C-alpha cells in the first residue's frame, strides 16, 4: 500500500540447537545474507526480568533454534 514498506521477513528455518543457530547467523551475515534469530523472549529483557511468567519451555526451544531469512531481495 501507499505509505507502507514491506519488511520481507516471511521465512524461517529451524536449526539443530543454539550453537548451530549462532554459527548459521554468523556465516550468513558475514557473507552478506541478512538473517536474524526469531525473537528474544520478553522475560529476558531488562525491563521485564522480574515480571511473572509461566512455563516458556516451548518458546525457549524455538528461541534457541529458529532463524528468520528474508523472502526477497530488498533493493
Amino acid at each position: 500500500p501507499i505509505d507502507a514498506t514491506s519488511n520481507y521477513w516471511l521465512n524461517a528455518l529451524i536449526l539443530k540447537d543454539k550453537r548451530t543457530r549462532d554459527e548459521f547467523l554468523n556465516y550468513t551475515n558475514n557473507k552478506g545474507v541478512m538473517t536474524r534469530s526469531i525473537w528474544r523472549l520478553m522475560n529476558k529483557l531488562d525491563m521485564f526480568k522480574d515480571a511473572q511468567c509461566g512455563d516458556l519451555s516451548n518458546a525457549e526451544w524455538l528461541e534457541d533454534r529458529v532463524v528468520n531469512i528474508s523472502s526477497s531481495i530488498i533493493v
Side-chain angles (χ1 to χ4, degrees):
I2 297 173
D3 299 324
T5 303
S6 298
N7 66 18
Y8 301 105
W9 292 98
L10 300 174
N11 297 303
L13 302 173
I14 300 176
L15 301 169
K16 184 173 106 173
D17 54 29
K18 187 174 184 175
R19 183 183 61 79
T20 305
R21 180 204 70 181
D22 292 344
E23 288 174 357
F24 180 84
L25 289 171
N26 286 329
Y27 180 82
T28 54
N29 283 297
N30 286 336
K31 297 291 184 181
V33 178
M34 190 174 164
T35 56
R36 62 184 182 199
S37 56
I38 190 170
W39 58 56
R40 179 146 174 95
L41 293 174
M42 291 182 71
N43 68 309
K44 294 181 181 179
L45 301 175
D46 283 340
M47 66 184 108
F48 299 117
K49 67 181 178 190
D50 297 320
Q52 180 179 351
C53 66
D55 176 30
L56 298 173
S57 56
N58 289 331
E60 289 167 341
W61 189 92
L62 291 167
E63 180 185 38
D64 285 348
R65 292 166 177 82
V66 178
V67 171
N68 289 319
I69 59 173
S70 178
S71 65
S72 178
I73 297 173
I74 300 172
V75 182

